[in-house]
Amino acid sequence: MGMLDGVSGSITPIIPMMIGGGMIKVICLICNMIGILPETSGTYQVLSWLGDAFIYFFPVFLGATSAKKFGANQGLGMLLGALLIYPSFITAVTEGNSVTIFGLPVYMANYSSTVIPVIISVWVLSKIEKPISKICPDMIKSFAVPTLCLLIMLPVMLVVTAPLGYYIGTFVSDAVIWLYETIGFVGVSILCTFLPLMIMTGMHTMFTPYWTTAFANLGLDYFFLPANIIS
């Protein structure tokens, strides 16, 4: 339940952003279909960028909300999330380049639109920030605490927590896709049955890593969002 509460508490504050961004994309699609707003227009492009931004910058937003949930510094949480989508990092991943930090191999993966890597990393940040803050003299605390936290968290996140979260998110996504491919729409029906109970307990937020990964990789979600709408 602690893990569930952590994921739910980190995701819930940004649900309005997700709804707003999603509706902007829907408006763009409808206006394009009826000929009001062509894809070549500047207005369409800007609105589309806004609708895409909430998915692309998910790690940054989650860095802030996770830090607030776990009692860590929100700026540091956002910075850790931003690193995972830094253009040079994404380029290195795309080109298959190997990177090390302090001699340790960095696991190169595209963390855009991911959920679990940032949440786990910020949770670890909250555990090291407090003791560091206690032992640092007040005279140097303002710059020593964030610097030490970042120096510790960089190898921890890039070598351990982010890859772990990436594998967890990928496993959940693959498991849901396997379930859909195995039993098809019956699986959607079963999920519809349990969704009211899951929503009451906050368990539905556990599907966010799945559908964000599905949208990032496939461009659509066959399973959770259709079940959510039907339910």
Side-chain angles (χ1 to χ4, degrees), residues 10-221:
S10 299
I11 294 175
T12 300
I14 57 178
I15 288 178
M17 177 198 71
M18 297 161 64
I19 294 174
M23 290 305 300
I24 291 294
K25 294 289 287 185
V26 171
I27 292 172
C28 284
L29 178 62
I30 294 176
C31 290
N32 179 253
M33 290 175 61
I34 62 180
I36 297 178
L37 198 62
E39 292 184 6
T40 55
S41 71
T43 301
Y44 180 94
Q45 292 176 0
V46 174
L47 290 175
S48 182
W49 292 343
L50 177 63
D52 290 335
F54 86 92
I55 292 181
Y56 183 84
F57 292 103
F58 222 56
V60 180
F61 303 130
L62 276 176
T65 56
S66 299
K68 184 175 181 179
K69 172 63 180 178
F70 300 127
N73 181 277
Q74 288 184 270
L76 295 180
M78 294 172 67
L79 183 56
L80 291 178
L83 173 63
L84 296 179
I85 58 170
Y86 188 69
S88 296
F89 183 82
I90 299 297
T91 300
V93 172
T94 304
E95 296 178 351
N97 298 334
S98 59
V99 178
T100 62
I101 179 169
F102 303 142
L104 300 172
V106 173
Y107 182 79
M108 305 301 288
N110 190 341
Y111 293 105
S112 301
S113 310
T114 59
V115 175
I116 303 299
V118 180
I119 294 179
I120 296 178
S121 299
V122 175
W123 176 77
V124 175
L125 169 67
S126 70
K127 299 302 180 183
I128 69 170
E129 183 182 2
K130 294 175 183 177
I132 290 176
S133 181
K134 287 183 179 179
I135 64 175
C136 275
D138 293 337
M139 185 180 299
I140 63 171
K141 183 176 294 186
S142 61
F143 64 86
V145 172
T147 303
L148 289 173
C149 286
L150 290 174
L151 288 175
I152 295 172
M153 280 306 304
L154 279 177
V156 170
M157 180 177 73
L158 295 176
V159 178
V160 182
T161 58
L164 175 62
Y166 182 82
Y167 276 115
I168 292 175
T170 302
F171 173 78
V172 171
S173 178
D174 290 344
V176 173
I177 293 174
W178 175 84
L179 181 63
Y180 178 83
E181 292 177 344
T182 302
I183 59 179
F185 202 76
V186 175
V188 178
S189 303
I190 294 173
L191 182 58
C192 286
T193 304
F194 292 101
L195 259 177
L197 178 61
M198 296 177 69
I199 291 173
M200 284 189 294
T201 58
M203 291 180 63
H204 66 292
T205 56
M206 293 297 292
F207 280 93
T208 303
Y210 154 69
W211 69 258
T212 53
T213 302
F215 268 95
N217 296 334
L218 304 176
L220 49 85
D221 165 34

